[in-house]
Amino acid sequence: MKRMLSGIKPSGQLTLGNYIGALRNFVAYQDEYEMFVFIANLHCVTVYQDPKELRKNLKDAIALYLACGLDPQKSCIFLQSDVMEQAQLGFLLTCNTYMGELNRMTQYKDKVAKQETNITAGLFVYPSLMAADILAYDADYVPVGDDQKQHVELARDLAERFNNRYSPTFVVPEPVVAKVGARIMSLSDPTKKMSKSDETNKGCIYLLDDLAVARKKIMSAVTDMVGAVQYDKVNQPGISNLLEIMSSLSGEPIDSIVTRFEGKGYGEFKKEVADVVCETLGTIQAKYQEIMESDIIEKVLEDGANKARYIAHKKLMKVQKKIGIEIRK
Ligand code: ATP
Ligand code: LTN
């Protein structure tokens, strides 16, 4: 069975973008692959987080993993910081990454371009840690949204570099980006990604949003003056985004939705999008409540960390021997 791995940062409450672009796919893949899914809590602190909020977001994220259908019997679910080997491998890979490569990472470049202050060294080297997350487990595939593809490509480069410099050690991973829903846009500005850590973003639907609030956000989503429900990302980014949301949640192809709404107004269309979204959120939230009331989270994390640590430890030892910093057999 091929192995698949991915992670989400608990840098805020999980969004509909995270669900459509990531979580939903993890759930679908867990029957087909040996799945490793973790909470990237180390990645998360590359930007300052309020500790109290972080604790809440972290627990909610795990509960939402389970509520969205990740099954601990099928997937190894764990916390990044529980596997110290991952961070140690991260350091070793940082020593095999060039500054120029990190300088080229769009996520970092965007922050620099926005003249954000207090960009940390952790944020700069984050892609090398992400490579370690992936390479420690010999993941064959890494399902991610569009914005993370470049980081997985760096992980490939680092794996190949290490394999060539020393000897074959790492599996070279492949990014898997879904055709529909890889980049859900903000409802208030459909030229920007729907992002959980964008505080000004009113166009973001959180998985734990009150259903009435979520409905209102959709009904007031920015559209255009064209007046026809069509998939045209350039001229109708708002409507196209709603079409992607609806299609990925209902399974109905975009073409078929477009045909059904021929000659109909945006109000009617938005109402149906809101119905589909609220149905999804309602189901997730009911399961989330059950999970929060149980004591399953700690057990899941403990089992996940034990399984993950075993694999990452073996890989780290192998790497350290090849580099020459470990002399014991
Ligand atoms: P942040 O705002 O802190 O950067 P984020 O919401 O962009 O966070 P991440 O934790 O970086 O989310 O992403 C987790 C996964 O969800 C990644 O695979 C990412 O590509 C995917 N993802 C995030 N936002 C979207 C979106 N708007 N559309 C599709 N996929 C998304
Ligand atoms: N950087 C990713 C989260 C992440 C990840 C990973 C995803 C950290 N390590 C390894 C896939 C594989 C993000 O911000 N979404």
Side-chain angles (χ1 to χ4, degrees), residues 4-15:
M4 190 174 250
L5 171 140
S6 198
I8 300 185
K9 287 177 297 185
S11 46
Q13 281 286 314
L14 296 194
T15 70

Side-chain angles (χ1 to χ4, degrees), residues 5-9 18 38 40 43 80 86 107 126 129-131 133-134 142-144 147-148 151-152 196:
L5 171 140
S6 198
I8 300 185
K9 287 177 297 185
N18 295 134
F38 66 97
H43 281 268
Q80 187 180 28
Q86 229 163 294
Q107 218 174 41
Y126 150 132
L129 175 60
M130 175 156 165
D133 298 335
I134 300 167
V142 184
V144 280
D147 58 323
Q148 293 296 324
H151 293 156
V152 182
K196 66 169 121 66

Side-chain angles (χ1 to χ4, degrees), residues 6-23 25-26 40 43-44 47 49 65 107 111 126 130 142-149 151 176-177 180-186 192-199 204 241 244:
S6 198
I8 300 185
K9 287 177 297 185
S11 46
Q13 281 286 314
L14 296 194
T15 70
L16 190 64
N18 295 134
Y19 178 73
I20 295 176
L23 261 175
N25 304 326
F26 303 167
H43 281 268
C44 173
V47 172
Q49 308 288 328
Y65 271 18
Q107 218 174 41
K111 290 219 187 293
Y126 150 132
M130 175 156 165
V142 184
V144 280
D146 213 25
D147 58 323
Q148 293 296 324
K149 203 170 159 221
H151 293 156
V176 180
V177 182
V180 177
R183 196 171 170 80
I184 299 299
M185 310 309 275
S186 156
K192 285 209 290 203
K193 192 186 91 158
M194 183 184 282
S195 177
K196 66 169 121 66
S197 61
D198 188 351
E199 280 163 19
C204 180
N241 188 39
E244 284 209 27

Side-chain angles (χ1 to χ4, degrees), residues 13 17 36 66 90 93 100 105 111 130 155 170 182 195 313 320:
Q13 281 286 314
F36 287 74
L66 300 171
L93 290 180
M105 294 291 124
K111 290 219 187 293
M130 175 156 165
F170 295 121
S195 177
H313 184 76
Q320 296 199 152

